[in-house]
Amino acid sequence: MTPQENIIPQNPSPVTVKDLNTENPRWCGGCGDFSILACLKRFIVERQLRPESVVNISGIGCSGRAPNYLNTYGIHSIHGRPITVALGLALTRPDLHLFIHSGDGDSMSIGGNHLMHGINRNFNCVFLMYDNEIYALTKNQTSPTTRKGHRTNTQPFGSYLSPLNPLTVALGLGSSFVASTADWIPDHLMSTLSAAFDHPGFSFVHICQRCVHFDIENFDTKTSSWFSFLKHPNGISPDKRLADKSECLDHDPTNLNDAFKYAAADRRYFGLFYVNRDKPRYDNILQNLVAGSPKKDRGKLLDPYSI
Amino acid sequence: MPIEKRSVTRFELLMDAGAGAQKAGDILLEAFVAMGKFIYVEPMIPAEISPAARTRYALSGIIIRLADFDINNIGNDTDLILASQEVVLGRRLDDHEFNARCQILLDAGDRDKSPATYDAVIERCAKEGLIVTTFDIDPASKQIIADMSGKGTNLYYLGMLSFIYNMDENTVKFEIEKNLGKKLDPEVMKINITLYLNGYQMAKTRDFLRYQVDASPRQYDKILIDGNTALSLGIIDAGFKLYSGYPITPASSVMHTLAKELPHYGGRTHQAEDEIAAIGTAIGAYFGGVPSITGTSGPGFSLKQEFIGFAQAAEIPIVVLNVQRGGPSTGMPTRTEQSDLLAAIYGTHGDATKIVISVSNIIDCFYAPHVARYLAEKLRLPVIIMSDFQTANSYKVISRPQVVQLDNIDNIPDFILERFHLKRLAAHIETVRPLQTIPGTPDGMRRVTGLNTDAQGQVSTSAQESQRSHRVRNNKVNHVRQSLDKPTVFGPATNDILVVGWGSTSGAIEEAVSLAQKQGLGVSGMSLQIIYPLPLMLKEMFSHYKKIVSVEIAYGDANKLPPLASLLRADTLVDIQPLIATATGRPIRPKDVLAKVKEVLK
């Protein structure tokens, strides 16, 4: 086997949403995952990414099923580990576009170690954190982002701890790109995907995602008074549908202190919190090491051991 | 003192960690090899980095087995121990690997540091019937060593050993210059040579027992290499382009070698954040069509099991190296054991379908990666390479193996497959999903998952589809089973007793069989290279022996069958009993195999 790079047909017909369909997703009706999937398909079409050069990689949970519903290449891996699998492709196949799909349990609990190192390695990918604040596919257990007091099957008297904040975690780990959006504001989600895709490095995208089955109260999708958009010429535009109705704050995404302030606030902010295009990329470092190492002749492999 | 002629002999140089015993040994063994002698070497490595000097944990040294014939194991007992002080000597005596006439040369320089300890060790040697000869480094040399802050004692001992093994003064001097010349400045080099010569002269004045192993210098294309280095270079020759690992003893040295070397051959080494990440990254790269391997030892092997199962289900090739050490749990990281066998074969939850390859010697280490890659890609299954601490760290001089520069697995040469008793597999082997394209292939888009799927890759819980997936995966293993030839047999195909082993015990079994045959005993031996699946004709082969026994470095007793015996019994329904099933952390000795065989034959 050798990677068949750049074998894109001469005049490929344009990619359409229809080309990206596989089977009908098996999520619950009204699940926020449908919206994320639809936006990603629209994004691939908008950018005309060749489906054969896209790889969707996921862990376990409702979000883990996403790659199965996109007619690209895909790896539905094991619980908490999609970042490790994606890294293997990033280190060896820089020609591919990588999208990682990981839930709040997958990325903040069982896969926490990998999130920490994925962010630090800053390898090129779009990391989509589907945050529905619950373990859903395993049937209603407390996750690291479940709000305190919310009753679940494993913490039936109300979840004991204050939730982890994915945004301050990502910022604290030195993430080169931190954005937050929500599944029910598709225009903003699309703009966020676009900014994340164009960022060279590990683009951490937090997505508030509805779970209609186990927790219909955590996100009020009917009103917009409880959140604000962060805006900036170098940031992500506020959602077109809500721009007039919602608070829009100016925030320079290179200002880390303000990014922390908004991320840690009680109020929700959607937009680009932080970006640093200069953070070194581990995938580049290893590729440059290979490219820059003087070639040795495999035929003379054992010569240095000769006595 | 006259020189005793020996066909084979073994000696040890024991010092505190960091004092250079292994360096001195390496120089001496190169001189032996230059004179045509055969060697097998085991470094003794402490589990800690810099344990305090004169403690039992500080034991560091080198065991050199020297022969006039080719040897494949570290042998039986030691004929001579040169120890820098009594504490490390006392620690090593605990292992009881000295023979009755073992000569002990003890440097008395530390006598006054702890007279009670010193006397106790001397007394103990007397009780064991060992001949202890104490010596003092001559005053001039002592002063030189003191001036060099204690360095250089190893070169003095090297001089003593060179005289004792009747080596020409200049032959060894040449090897010292070859080994240290590039690293030391000329003045320091001169001092080291002086210490070497002083040691040589001092030994001349004493009546130490001396040994001579006769061999004629031979011209052949030879290399000096240890098991882990051979594996690392085999990984490069087999065409792997990613090694992904996490630091763990005794597998780490593979990652060290490849971190330096792989980039020169178009590959890269990735140090992952943990053992699970290491295999995940290798699996991701292999999905992208890039041959990838992950390596580890016991504890890390446990952590990788979920991903090994995933690779089976998703049909992504992967090669996993397990350099075994003492277990369970953290166990003994710097001692040898073969207790991971069943975890390798049956590990991961659910039905396990994988191939397990073992390495019996250093040349196997070089070619195992080729076979592993061939099988992994051909079958799209995980392939496990099982080594162990002993094989990983022991080194010897071997005829240079042929480098094959494998790229396309279909070009793997027959001689490599034959080494592992494998016939070339069928051109097409059925997979659960016929489509096995790699990313970048237009119109080949596909998804893999750990969930059960139908042939099109759609997630499925259908009874028929589940059963089919299992059947297809198990048929892959069956393909290998059908393609396995008879394993290596030492001695006649029909005999009174057959001693079966795998991996690092093979060398001791081969030697024990050879000794037994010289004594007219009806003993044959067998070594398994591919250990799972087992060859189909095994039961038939066993039927030609009155008794079949296993030898393994794994715990067994009257109530507990060790792993290899369990596996062979389950496969053949033959009443196989363990002949030796010990987990001492030390290699099995040919003479123990022979003694036990004699008991059984009585």
Side-chain angles (χ1 to χ4, degrees):
Chain A
M1 280 199 289
T2 46
Q4 301 160 39
E5 289 173 28
N6 307 316
I7 45 167
I8 296 160
Q10 287 287 307
N11 291 304
S13 51
V15 179
T16 65
V17 167
K18 212 177 139 197
D19 295 329
L20 296 170
N21 293 338
T22 59
E23 60 179 302
N24 286 328
R26 304 179 198 181
W27 292 311
C28 310
C31 173
D33 289 354
F34 282 102
S35 168
I36 300 171
L37 180 70
C39 284
L40 187 54
K41 285 180 186 172
R42 273 174 58 199
F43 175 75
I44 292 170
V45 170
E46 197 176 281
R47 291 295 185 99
Q48 283 296 300
L49 304 181
R50 297 302 311 168
E52 63 269 21
S53 62
V54 173
V55 187
N56 287 287
I57 305 115
S58 65
I60 295 295
C62 296
S63 65
R65 297 295 185 96
N68 294 301
Y69 308 139
L70 273 156
N71 190 23
T72 64
Y73 284 88
I75 308 174
H76 175 202
S77 78
I78 59 174
H79 204 6
R81 323 294 175 196
I83 291 172
T84 72
V85 176
L87 178 62
L89 288 166
L91 294 181
T92 55
R93 295 290 309 273
D95 56 315
L96 302 172
H97 307 299
L98 308 179
F99 293 87
I100 301 176
H101 306 253
S102 183
D104 41 305
D106 202 66
S107 59
M108 299 292 286
S109 195
I110 187 169
N113 189 23
H114 310 307
L115 180 64
M116 172 157 78
H117 292 278
I119 285 174
N120 189 45
R121 290 194 179 106
N122 197 35
F123 69 90
N124 200 27
C125 68
V126 174
F127 180 84
L128 304 172
M129 178 180 167
Y130 294 50
D131 189 1
N132 61 3
E133 304 184 351
I134 198 85
Y135 280 90
L137 196 58
T138 47
K139 315 285 186 282
N140 196 30
Q141 295 90 7
T142 294
S143 101
T145 58
T146 302
R147 64 192 177 281
K148 188 174 178 183
H150 180 67
R151 290 166 189 263
T152 66
N153 281 337
T154 47
Q155 300 189 1
F157 313 111
S159 293
Y160 307 131
L161 298 174
S162 296
L164 278 176
N165 179 335
L167 298 169
T168 54
V169 167
L171 288 168
L173 291 170
S175 184
S176 66
F177 182 101
V178 179
S180 187
T181 184
D183 74 70
W184 62 92
I185 44 174
D187 173 62
H188 190 260
L189 179 47
M190 286 289 290
S191 307
T192 306
L193 283 175
S194 191
F197 183 80
D198 290 338
H199 174 71
F202 191 98
S203 305
F204 182 88
V205 177
H206 174 255
I207 308 173
C208 293
Q209 180 232 316
R210 291 163 289 168
C211 177
V212 292
H213 200 91
F214 292 116
D215 189 3
I216 49 167
E217 289 166 353
N218 59 342
F219 301 121
D220 173 7
T221 60
K222 301 280 189 290
T223 70
S224 56
S225 56
W226 55 280
F227 59 80
S228 307
F229 290 104
L230 300 175
K231 67 180 172 66
H232 191 268
N234 298 327
I236 294 166
S237 308
D239 189 82
K240 279 194 194 112
R241 191 169 55 88
L242 297 174
D244 298 339
K245 301 175 199 156
S246 307
E247 185 189 22
C248 297
L249 289 173
D250 283 316
H251 165 63
D252 176 358
T254 61
N255 186 330
L256 185 58
N257 280 337
D258 283 356
F260 267 110
K261 192 180 80 187
Y262 291 122
D266 288 335
R267 188 177 176 78
R268 287 263 181 192
Y269 294 90
F270 293 135
L272 182 59
F273 285 72
Y274 183 67
V275 68
N276 170 14
R277 294 177 68 89
D278 299 327
K279 188 178 169 82
R281 277 171 51 189
Y282 178 67
D283 49 342
N284 278 350
I285 291 168
L286 279 202
Q287 275 141 21
N288 291 341
L289 177 71
V290 176
S293 297
K295 292 287 158 280
K296 286 189 184 172
D297 178 358
R298 255 204 302 174
K300 295 177 178 162
L301 186 63
L302 295 171
D303 286 6
Y305 301 87
S306 185
I307 65 163
Chain B
M1 204 59 153
I3 301 181
E4 268 187 38
K5 294 231 176 192
R6 293 285 181 94
S7 168
V8 57
T9 185
R10 189 173 103 166
F11 67 93
E12 306 178 14
L13 173 59
L14 310 179
M15 299 180 77
D16 281 316
Q22 284 139 25
K23 186 79 238 173
D26 285 352
I27 293 169
L28 186 54
L29 71 88
E30 290 194 28
F32 286 147
V33 171
M35 300 308 290
K37 301 174 208 306
F38 295 88
I39 50 138
Y40 195 94
V41 186
E42 182 194 347
M44 303 209 78
I45 303 165
E48 297 79 17
I49 309 295
S50 288
R54 291 182 51 75
T55 61
R56 291 167 54 80
Y57 326 105
L59 172 62
S60 177
I62 187 162
I63 307 175
I64 297 180
R65 192 173 187 220
L66 184 62
D68 59 11
F69 60 95
D70 196 12
I71 39 178
N72 274 320
N73 68 92
I74 197 62
N76 298 307
D77 289 335
T78 294
D79 299 313
L80 178 143
I81 297 174
L82 197 168
S84 65
Q85 32 88 348
E86 76 284 0
V87 182
V88 290
L89 173 61
R91 161 64 192 82
R92 178 62 180 141
L93 292 179
D94 291 347
D95 293 334
H96 278 264
E97 289 185 15
F98 45 83
N99 74 35
R101 295 181 54 229
C102 182
Q103 175 181 206
I104 299 202
L105 305 181
L106 176 62
D107 188 334
D110 274 10
R111 181 176 34 212
D112 297 337
K113 286 191 177 159
S114 175
T117 320
Y118 184 87
D119 293 342
V121 172
I122 298 272
E123 197 175 316
R124 176 176 173 188
C125 290
K127 264 192 199 150
E128 303 272 8
L130 303 171
I131 314 154
V132 187
T133 310
T134 61
F135 65 89
D136 280 295
I137 294 175
D138 64 77
S141 299
K142 261 190 184 161
Q143 188 55 52
I144 298 173
I145 290 165
D147 292 346
M148 296 213 301
S149 327
K151 286 192 182 131
T153 315
N154 58 336
L155 269 289
Y156 192 87
Y157 296 157
L158 172 61
M160 292 173 62
L161 290 168
S162 300
F163 177 73
I164 290 167
Y165 287 90
N166 202 25
M167 293 298 290
D168 176 63
E169 206 172 63
N170 287 319
T171 305
V172 181
K173 196 175 143 201
F174 173 78
E175 294 297 337
I176 297 173
E177 281 160 355
K178 203 174 86 184
N179 265 275
L180 304 177
K182 280 181 201 154
K183 290 170 202 152
L184 297 183
D185 79 50
E187 272 310 300
V188 181
M189 186 71 204
K190 244 168 84 182
I191 297 170
N192 274 289
I193 294 286
T194 305
L195 286 172
Y196 158 73
L197 293 172
N198 288 357
Y200 199 98
Q201 289 307 318
M202 187 279 274
K204 266 188 180 175
T205 67
R206 299 288 305 261
D207 52 356
F208 302 136
L209 275 171
R210 296 175 70 205
Y211 310 89
Q212 162 85 26
V213 173
D214 283 325
S216 339
R218 290 157 298 126
Q219 286 301 317
Y220 65 109
D221 190 5
K222 53 189 181 297
I223 59 167
L224 173 63
I225 200 162
D226 63 80
N228 265 4
T229 306
L231 249 167
S232 310
L233 301 177
I235 285 167
I236 295 173
D237 192 45
F240 286 95
K241 294 289 185 270
L242 172 71
Y243 183 89
S244 177
Y246 182 78
I248 188 163
T249 305
S252 289
S253 64
V254 173
M255 187 158 56
H256 300 168
T257 303
L258 291 173
K260 270 188 292 191
E261 292 300 327
L262 254 182
H264 295 295
Y265 300 93
R268 69 286 285 153
T269 296
H270 167 60
Q271 180 182 334
E273 62 270 30
D274 63 31
E275 295 281 1
I276 300 171
I279 183 172
T281 296
I283 287 173
Y286 231 141
F287 180 74
V290 177
S292 303
I293 175 167
T294 182
T296 189
S297 299
F301 194 60
S302 295
L303 284 166
K304 291 186 195 299
Q305 293 285 10
E306 188 188 1
F307 252 134
I308 290 173
F310 171 74
Q312 292 174 191
E315 298 185 302
I316 302 173
I318 185 65
V319 178
V320 181
L321 163 68
N322 178 11
V323 185
Q324 297 170 92
R325 62 192 219 182
S329 192
T330 314
M332 295 198 291
T334 57
R335 295 291 183 271
T336 207
E337 210 172 293
Q338 297 181 306
S339 302
D340 295 353
L341 179 61
L342 299 182
I345 296 171
Y346 302 118
T348 203
H349 58 278
D351 182 46
T353 47
K354 45 191 155 164
I355 310 298
V356 183
I357 300 177
S358 76
V359 289
S360 303
N361 54 53
I362 291 168
I363 298 190
D364 283 356
C365 289
F366 186 73
Y367 290 124
H370 302 71
V371 178
R373 198 188 139 205
Y374 172 73
L375 291 172
E377 291 183 23
K378 202 80 194 160
L379 306 169
R380 305 193 73 84
L381 278 187
V383 177
I384 319 289
I385 300 174
M386 298 292 277
S387 181
D388 63 25
F389 179 85
Q390 185 67 18
T391 305
N393 289 286
S394 298
Y395 47 102
K396 62 176 281 187
V397 172
I398 53 171
S399 286
R400 183 200 292 247
Q402 188 190 330
V403 169
V404 300
Q405 307 186 56
L406 190 64
D407 285 318
N408 181 342
I409 53 151
D410 290 326
N411 296 335
I412 189 170
D414 287 331
F415 82 89
I416 296 180
L417 296 176
E418 283 160 13
R419 185 170 186 89
F420 291 83
H421 308 289
L422 186 66
K423 286 187 284 229
R424 204 167 284 274
L425 300 182
H428 176 73
I429 289 171
E430 188 187 8
T431 46
V432 174
R433 289 150 296 252
L435 188 65
Q436 293 290 343
T437 42
I438 62 167
T441 313
D443 301 325
M445 286 78 75
R446 65 187 183 101
R447 276 68 56 196
V448 296
T449 168
L451 289 162
N452 185 57
T453 75
D454 60 20
Q456 281 67 49
Q458 300 255 34
V459 172
S460 168
T461 51
S462 118
Q464 287 79 11
E465 297 297 349
S466 172
Q467 184 66 10
R468 173 184 170 271
S469 301
H470 278 94
R471 178 176 54 73
V472 173
R473 281 190 296 265
N474 279 282
N475 275 349
K476 295 180 188 183
V477 179
N478 284 337
H479 266 282
V480 177
R481 193 158 155 88
Q482 306 276 355
S483 305
L484 283 170
D485 267 327
K486 289 182 176 180
T488 307
V489 172
F490 315 117
T494 301
N495 221 329
D496 292 338
I497 187 166
L498 179 72
V499 182
V500 190
W502 69 287
S504 70
T505 59
S506 303
I509 292 172
E510 183 180 10
E511 190 170 318
V513 167
S514 157
L515 291 169
Q517 283 172 345
K518 279 177 197 154
Q519 296 177 23
L521 300 169
V523 183
S524 294
M526 178 185 280
S527 165
L528 293 157
Q529 270 71 42
I530 289 180
I531 193 145
Y532 192 82
L534 290 166
L536 283 165
M537 71 293 282
L538 208 52
K539 189 184 176 81
E540 198 281 325
M541 290 176 80
F542 284 177
S543 71
H544 298 277
Y545 300 91
K546 288 179 194 153
K547 195 159 179 56
I548 322 285
V549 294
S550 77
V551 164
E552 38 195 321
I553 313 174
Y555 185 78
D557 63 27
N559 296 307
K560 158 119 182 186
L561 278 170
L564 179 63
S566 303
L567 178 71
L568 296 175
R569 286 167 75 107
D571 194 73
T572 63
L573 282 181
V574 173
D575 178 19
I576 293 148
Q577 293 291 334
L579 182 76
I580 298 180
T582 51
T584 61
R586 295 294 305 148
I588 285 180
R589 299 183 287 194
K591 73 164 197 181
D592 292 340
V593 178
L594 187 61
K596 288 277 183 185
V597 162
K598 282 179 178 168
E599 273 176 37
V600 174
L601 286 175
K602 252 181 220 166

